[in-house]
Amino acid sequence: MSDDKTTHFGYQKVPEKEKADRVRAVFDSVASRYDLMNDLMSMGIHRLWKRRAIELAGVRRGQRVLDLAAGTGDLAEQFSRIVGDSGAVIMSDINQAMLAQGRTRLVDAGIVGNLDYVLINAEKIPFADDSFDCVTIGFGLRNVTHKQFALDEMFRVLRPGGRALVLEFSHPTVKPLAKAYDVYSFSVLPTLGRFVAGDADSYRYLAESIRMHPDQETLRSMMEQAGLERCEYFNLTGGIVAIHRGYKL
């Protein structure tokens, strides 16, 4: 019966077993232009969103951090600098092309020694219970087939006192902004994708996947369902992006 289950891939309904491969194909296509497109799409604001996420993560020297869906490693790079030689950072992604792109970028930046690279499906994290002081997933949860499974796994591998952080596109809280954002998402983004990355469809999927992602309150409830406590969220840029944080107490 499970083979008949479907899930969303953007606005399409597809068999659950196909979604991971479809998402992988999207990021295989855009990996080489991913950083450039992030800067163009957000006009550089994504750097401020990630800086705020780093602050809210509260990572300290000597701690262990797991960065899921790490992409090209913007968060992992900063965590590596913070935890120092006595700490450790696992930079992970389900997509080999993205992970390779990130590894090349970080090695070129001189980030070595306390940073390891692991191919990971966030729904099945291959680490023991209570392994990390902080687990993050940045702009990746919306691509996960079973989001609750991923949140459950994040909780499981956190140490008591540890923090889970979800940085993700969310739902604008101001109606005029929401309308302008829709126009931008469905007109400008695919056009940018076509001219810069040679791929309009992947950026159309990006816009659709954001609309299908749970809203702020729903995601907070899902984190609580996973066992996380003191869950809260911080809207950025009018709710276009939100950072959710919860603790394993």
Side-chain angles (χ1 to χ4, degrees), residues 13-246:
K13 277 199 169 183
V14 300
E16 283 188 350
K17 61 185 180 181
E18 292 183 11
K19 180 168 179 177
D21 286 339
R22 287 180 177 239
V23 171
R24 187 175 295 112
V26 165
F27 288 95
D28 281 347
S29 174
V30 304
S32 64
R33 297 282 182 164
Y34 183 78
D35 289 327
L36 174 60
M37 280 296 296
N38 278 350
D39 280 329
L40 292 173
M41 287 188 305
S42 72
M43 294 170 283
I45 298 173
H46 75 98
R47 299 175 186 274
L48 300 179
W49 297 333
K50 291 168 183 173
R51 184 182 303 169
R52 182 64 173 142
I54 296 290
E55 293 171 356
L56 290 171
V59 170
R60 301 187 301 277
R61 186 170 183 81
Q63 292 191 327
R64 286 177 51 83
V65 180
L66 171 62
D67 185 22
L68 298 166
T72 55
D74 286 349
L75 295 181
E77 177 180 0
Q78 296 307 314
F79 287 137
S80 175
R81 297 183 191 279
I82 293 168
V83 303
D85 294 341
S86 58
V89 176
I90 303 295
M91 176 177 160
S92 72
D93 204 286
I94 195 173
N95 184 274
Q96 181 67 57
M98 291 294 292
L99 198 61
Q101 193 80 15
R103 185 180 187 280
T104 298
R105 190 181 75 79
L106 296 192
V107 168
D108 288 347
I111 306 296
V112 294
N114 67 354
L115 183 61
D116 287 319
Y117 305 86
V118 183
L119 201 66
I120 288 179
N121 181 339
E123 296 181 22
K124 299 176 182 178
I125 298 174
F127 294 107
D129 297 359
D130 307 334
S131 293
F132 297 95
D133 299 288
C134 183
V135 180
T136 62
I137 183 166
F139 300 114
L141 186 61
R142 72 179 186 284
N143 296 314
V144 174
T145 304
H146 303 99
K147 297 174 179 61
Q148 191 64 56
F149 291 179
L151 294 170
D152 292 347
E153 281 287 271
M154 291 171 71
F155 175 81
R156 180 184 66 78
V157 299
L158 274 176
R159 292 171 175 168
R163 301 158 307 287
L165 202 80
V166 180
L167 167 64
E168 188 55 90
F169 291 109
S170 198
H171 295 247
T173 55
V174 181
K175 283 188 178 180
L177 176 61
K179 290 180 180 179
Y181 184 49
D182 279 345
V183 172
Y184 177 77
S185 297
F186 290 102
S187 298
V188 178
L189 287 191
T191 301
L192 273 177
R194 182 169 69 251
F195 285 110
V196 178
D199 185 348
D201 289 343
S202 290
Y203 287 92
R204 190 171 294 108
Y205 161 74
L206 168 65
E208 293 176 358
S209 68
I210 292 168
R211 291 351 182 250
M212 301 306 297
H213 188 65
D215 65 19
Q216 288 91 324
E217 285 292 338
T218 302
L219 182 52
R220 177 164 66 177
S221 295
M222 292 171 68
M223 292 176 70
E224 291 172 345
Q225 183 178 330
L228 293 159
E229 298 184 44
R230 292 167 51 196
C231 296
E232 56 189 335
Y233 61 85
F234 306 84
N235 283 321
L236 307 178
T237 317
I240 287 175
V241 163
I243 300 172
H244 283 69
R245 180 174 65 181

